[in-house]
Amino acid sequence: MDVISQLQEQVNTVASVAFNTFGSLQRDAPSVRLSASYPEPPPTAAAEDASSFAEQPKLMSAALVKAAKQFDALVAGLPLPEGGEEAQLKRIADLQAENDAVGQELQKQLEAAGNCPIDEEKELKLVQELFSQATDNCFNLKKPE
């Protein structure tokens, strides 16, 4: 697997762990009384789950930190560009010029293809004839020739 794919996979892992962490914290957090004017939250049967809930954020945050460190290690392993920023900008400009030249060539080819004389009536008749043969073969349960 190349480095870019590994980075993408690691970003997905970080996002998944973060999503699951926030979701489970939101789902499993005990009810809290917002102010004295609100009634006491209803008691839940989560008294035995309180100890597991206290450990859950620690485990999830450890998994998130581990995934982030793996991502950082992958980024640190990327090769440094040769020649610095100026070389990168020159390479980008060269690639853009090459892309423009290829685009112009493709445009010329497209225009040349559009100027080809096509006898549309002959082509339409041929298509209609082939369609007629295909439908006849289907109705007669013949195999195409």
Side-chain angles (χ1 to χ4, degrees), residues 74-106:
L74 286 170
V75 169
L78 289 173
L80 295 175
E82 298 171 7
E85 188 174 346
E86 294 95 23
Q88 284 182 345
L89 292 174
K90 183 182 182 316
R91 176 77 174 133
I92 290 171
D94 292 344
L95 288 172
Q96 186 62 45
E98 182 181 340
N99 186 40
D100 292 342
V102 170
Q104 289 173 356
E105 180 63 30
L106 287 173

Side-chain angles (χ1 to χ4, degrees), residues 128-141:
Q128 287 174 337
E129 184 180 320
L130 290 172
F131 180 75
S132 177
Q133 287 176 2
T135 55
D136 288 344
N137 288 341
C138 286
F139 286 132
N140 298 329
L141 299 173

Side-chain angles (χ1 to χ4, degrees), residues 21-67:
T21 300
F22 300 143
S24 64
L25 289 175
Q26 184 180 29
R27 180 194 67 217
D28 298 336
S31 300
V32 176
R33 187 174 187 175
L34 298 175
S35 75
S37 63
Y38 289 107
E40 191 69 30
T44 60
E48 64 276 352
D49 293 338
S51 62
S52 66
F53 177 75
E55 289 297 316
Q56 190 177 13
K58 293 176 188 175
L59 295 173
M60 291 184 161
S61 62
L64 188 59
V65 168
K66 180 182 176 188

